[in-house]
């Protein structure tokens, strides 16, 4: 759970991390059918990670791209604010 305050409105994001594992694919489809937003992430240093994300992205529309870093935190807050 991530709580943000935007324009004096409290927004709670419920975030799920499935690590892109195939065994979660049927479960996540049930959840993201009702989702307001989805984050698909990959490791820029591992090309197979990016290739795996392509399969997930093919089933989504109006996708935006944010380059951020889980390691440094760069642009993570901006991404969360945009999602909210």
């Amino acid at each position: 759970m991530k709580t943000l305050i935007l324009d004096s409105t409290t927004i709670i994001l419920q975030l799920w991390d499935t690590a892109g594992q195939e065994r979660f694919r049927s479960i996540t489809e049930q959840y993201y059918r009702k989702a307001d937003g989805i984050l698909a992430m990959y490791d820029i240093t591992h090309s197979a990670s990016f290739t795996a994300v392509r399969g997930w992205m093919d089933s989504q529309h109006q996708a935006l791209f944010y380059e951020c870093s889980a390691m440094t935190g760069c642009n993570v807050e901006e991404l969360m604010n945009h999602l909210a």
Side-chain angles (χ1 to χ4, degrees):
M1 304 292 270
K2 170 81 173 164
T3 303
L4 301 170
I5 299 175
L6 296 174
D7 299 327
S8 71
T9 301
T10 301
I11 299 171
I12 300 172
L13 302 176
Q14 184 178 24
L15 305 169
W16 294 71
D17 182 0
T18 64
Q21 296 175 25
E22 189 62 33
R23 65 186 176 134
F24 289 111
R25 191 172 193 93
S26 62
I27 295 170
T28 54
E29 286 176 1
Q30 294 171 17
Y31 283 101
Y32 72 60
R33 199 171 299 139
K34 299 176 184 178
D36 293 317
I38 297 169
L39 303 175
M41 300 181 183
Y42 62 94
D43 180 350
I44 196 168
T45 66
H46 186 60
S47 63
S49 170
F50 176 73
T51 302
V53 166
R54 295 297 307 167
W56 291 87
M57 292 301 293
D58 288 343
S59 63
Q60 297 162 28
H61 303 281
Q62 300 174 337
L64 296 175
F65 179 82
Y66 270 86
E67 185 171 318
C68 22
S69 172
M71 185 171 77
T72 67
C74 178
N75 285 336
V76 172
E77 201 64 33
E78 291 83 356
L79 170 64
M80 293 297 161
N81 287 335
H82 187 97
L83 182 61

